[in-house]
Amino acid sequence: MNTFYLEVIASDRTFYHDRCKAVTVPAPDGEIGIMAHHENMVAAITMGEMRITDVEGKVITAFVGTGFAQMMNNRVTVLVETAELPEEIDIRRAEEAKLRAEEQLRQKQSMQEYHHSKASLARAMSRLKMSSKYH
């Protein structure tokens, strides 16, 4: 069986740790798909949808924050800020964060605050998109 060990670690928990057939992660220039015996590598991960195909063929979909993935000796480690199943996303909280970020963007800010507000808005929008896609 062509499987590999995958561990997805978020800042607050270990999201996944088991064997799987494939994992697809969001990258700055699209998506990266990793299967068993993939060449060793390190890749940046952006906010978006991660898909894990477990050994039985079931697809697990999750929203992930920024981080990186490392493939080494048929083992993949994914380190991300957040990893949430669609049903774990608090829609009300994400909508409030979106409104807050939009309001902050309307105000005069330093460049650092502006980029922080843009990132907050992108994170909230991605969560809402993922939530609506799978509910």
Side-chain angles (χ1 to χ4, degrees):
M1 179 186 280
N2 279 331
T3 63
F4 60 95
Y5 183 78
L6 171 66
E7 187 166 27
V8 179
I9 302 169
S11 60
D12 61 342
R13 66 180 171 157
T14 299
F15 178 79
Y16 185 90
H17 57 95
D18 204 352
R19 297 198 72 74
C20 68
K21 290 182 180 179
V23 62
T24 303
V25 294
D29 55 352
E31 291 184 330
I32 297 173
I34 303 171
M35 297 178 78
H37 311 293
H38 191 286
E39 184 176 356
N40 292 343
M41 65 160 200
V42 174
I45 294 177
T46 58
M47 257 186 300
E49 182 179 321
M50 174 180 68
R51 294 179 305 280
I52 301 167
T53 305
D54 68 14
V55 292
E56 289 142 16
K58 179 182 166 214
V59 177
I60 301 163
T61 304
F63 168 80
V64 293
T66 58
F68 72 91
Q70 175 190 36
M71 173 67 155
M72 187 71 65
N73 300 325
N74 214 33
R75 273 181 83 91
V76 175
T77 303
V78 175
L79 296 173
V80 288
E81 291 175 350
T82 59
E84 302 171 282
L85 294 169
E87 57 268 17
E88 294 174 338
I89 295 172
D90 185 340
I91 296 169
R92 188 177 55 82
R93 190 172 142 233
E95 287 172 345
E96 289 171 0
K98 177 182 176 271
L99 293 173
R100 241 186 344 268
E102 288 171 339
E103 178 59 35
Q104 289 170 345
L105 286 170
R106 284 192 281 272
Q107 298 173 5
K108 191 169 183 109
Q109 306 179 64
S110 69
M111 285 306 287
Q112 182 179 3
E113 291 169 329
Y114 171 79
H115 289 297
H116 180 74
S117 297
K118 289 282 283 189
S120 295
L121 179 60
R123 192 170 35 256
M125 299 282 289
S126 293
R127 280 191 169 111
L128 289 169
K129 180 181 174 186
M130 174 74 80
S131 178
S132 67
K133 184 176 178 180
Y134 291 96
H135 275 137

